[in-house]
Structure formats: C-alpha cells, structure tokens
Amino acid sequence: MEDLPPEALDRVAAYFQALSEPTRLQLLNRLRTGEHNVGELAQACGCTSANVSRHLAVLMQQGLVEREGRGTAVYYRIADDSVYALCDLVCGNIARQLERGAGGREVFLRAAAPRPARR
C-alpha cells in the first residue's frame, strides 16, 4: 500500500467492504463450483432473489463477478479467481487463531455453517 494515492486506497477499501458481508462471501463460495443464476444462488443461500441480486451488484461493481444473459436467464460467475486465494488466506488464519483459543476449530466450523434464511 506504500505510495498509493488516496483514490487507490479508496478503491482498496471498497473492495474489502464488498467482502465484508457474510452473504456475499457465501455467494462467492457458491460460485466456486461454477456459474449459477440468481434463483439457484437464492435457494442455496436461503435469501430472496432480490437480496441476492443486490449483493451480486456490489460484487460486480468491484469486478469480482460477471454476468451473462442467456435468453430470459442471467448467469453469474467469478471474474477474479484471486479472491479465493485472499479468502482462503484469511479463513486459514482465523482457523489457526481459533485452534489456539477457547473452542478451537469447532467454533470456526459452526460460524462458517450456513445461516437461517434471511428475508
């Protein structure tokens, strides 16, 4: 981050802000398996299609996902695979911290488990 102008730091902050929402992380994780449409993602994440669409718009704005229309359906896929290296690095670090602390890995696994549906 050395010598980055304030505008670049703003973009970096916006990128991390896009990754700071659990539902968006869940969507990115679902897209690891390949492209999906909004309905598939909504069902898998337990969210409404409108909510998933809003989250996907944020991820698209940061260049993390891209969309492709096919007939009446729109499919989303990962645009930048490097996000997985970043997420895996952070998740690995958190898992190690939890293993050293109270509760260990089980706490991390419970925290990473799918959440009840948000409406």
Side-chain angles (χ1 to χ4, degrees):
M1 295 189 322
E2 212 172 293
D3 298 326
L4 284 178
E7 301 82 30
L9 291 174
D10 288 344
R11 297 225 21 215
V12 170
Y15 184 90
F16 280 107
Q17 188 174 10
L19 297 175
S20 71
E21 213 292 325
T23 301
R24 289 195 282 269
L25 293 174
Q26 192 176 11
L27 291 170
L28 289 172
N29 200 38
R30 291 286 175 185
L31 291 171
R32 274 187 195 240
T33 63
E35 60 186 21
H36 295 281
N37 64 37
V38 171
E40 293 167 344
L41 292 168
Q43 184 176 13
C45 295
C47 297
T48 65
S49 293
N51 193 16
V52 167
S53 292
R54 283 191 296 275
H55 287 300
L56 289 168
V58 171
L59 294 171
M60 278 184 46
Q61 187 176 22
Q62 295 307 315
L64 293 163
V65 299
E66 51 192 23
R67 61 182 269 161
E68 179 183 343
R70 294 187 204 143
T72 59
V74 176
Y75 286 83
Y76 291 84
R77 65 180 164 266
I78 292 301
D80 181 5
D81 286 331
S82 68
V83 70
Y84 294 127
L86 175 63
C87 289
D88 290 344
L89 177 69
V90 171
C91 289
N93 186 41
I94 291 171
R96 284 188 296 281
Q97 289 175 10
L98 290 172
E99 284 175 355
R100 290 189 300 262
R105 187 170 176 82
E106 296 80 31
V107 173
F108 178 72
L109 293 174
R110 277 196 307 273
R115 296 177 177 201
R118 287 189 204 175
R119 305 278 176 203

